[in-house]
Amino acid sequence: MKVLAVSGYKPFELGIFKKDHPSAEFIKAAIKKSILPKAEEGLEWILISGQLGVELWTAEVVFELQEEFPELKLAVITPFLEQEASWNENNKEWYEFILMQADFVDSVTRKGYEKPWQFRLKNQFFLEKSDGLLLLYDQEKEGSPKYIYELAVKYQQDHNYPIELISFYDLQMIVEEEQMKHMDY
């Protein structure tokens, strides 16, 4: 696997309203746990669309991993130009910080937002340009990741395309592992 697309819930879908909410650390730990073995096996690119939440936390994980795996690169390919236009200042700053450190930045449609087809086109592009998908998504809780997940499942019928899901159960296991690390016996 050379290119891994990563996506998942937006923060408000998880009840998170600050990028540095304590839950974000557990989400980042789960993402890192999944990416690390792939990096050890020669993963070259992480592909995100730069949406708030799981994708920007993934970027932060990539920046951490680049200390040990400098060959690991981050591509941010947005569905359309200026996707951050309506975001608050804190989110815009976070996004700009990520874009400045990314190894590659582009947009699937080189125009501003027009219609939802731009998200569908981005999802299709991600599947065609990656060797697998890592998705923080739990089928028990609908949300924005559902669209790329359903498309990936269809795509999988004709392509060797692994889909790895991080579920809420997986996150709970990470929380428990992290708590065990910090307990004194």
Side-chain angles (χ1 to χ4, degrees), residues 10-11 42 57-58 62 66-67 74 108 118 122 172 174 180:
K10 294 180 175 92
W57 289 318
T58 297
V62 172
Q66 284 174 333
E67 293 171 20
L74 177 70
V108 178
Q118 289 166 297
K122 181 267 302 176
Q172 185 59 42
I174 294 284
M180 294 296 274

Side-chain angles (χ1 to χ4, degrees), residues 35-53:
I35 292 175
L36 187 59
K38 294 169 182 63
E40 290 168 345
E41 292 167 11
L43 180 66
E44 294 173 7
W45 285 92
I46 298 289
L47 178 59
I48 63 170
S49 69
Q51 76 182 20
L52 293 171

Side-chain angles (χ1 to χ4, degrees), residues 78-83 85 107-121:
T78 64
F80 46 85
L81 297 175
E82 298 174 6
Q83 74 173 344
S107 181
V108 178
T109 63
R110 292 194 172 86
K111 50 180 126 186
Y113 177 75
E114 291 178 354
K115 295 220 174 349
W117 65 265
Q118 289 166 297
F119 293 106
R120 289 192 294 275
L121 190 63

Side-chain angles (χ1 to χ4, degrees), residues 11-12 15-19 21 88 91:
F12 65 86
I16 298 174
F17 299 97
K18 284 197 200 133
K19 81 177 184 77
H21 187 280
N88 71 38
N91 288 336

Side-chain angles (χ1 to χ4, degrees), residues 24-34 61 174 178 181:
E25 289 308 310
F26 297 117
I27 292 167
K28 286 165 61 174
I31 293 165
K32 187 173 187 176
K33 185 177 181 178
S34 175
V61 168
I174 294 284
E178 293 297 312
K181 284 183 197 171

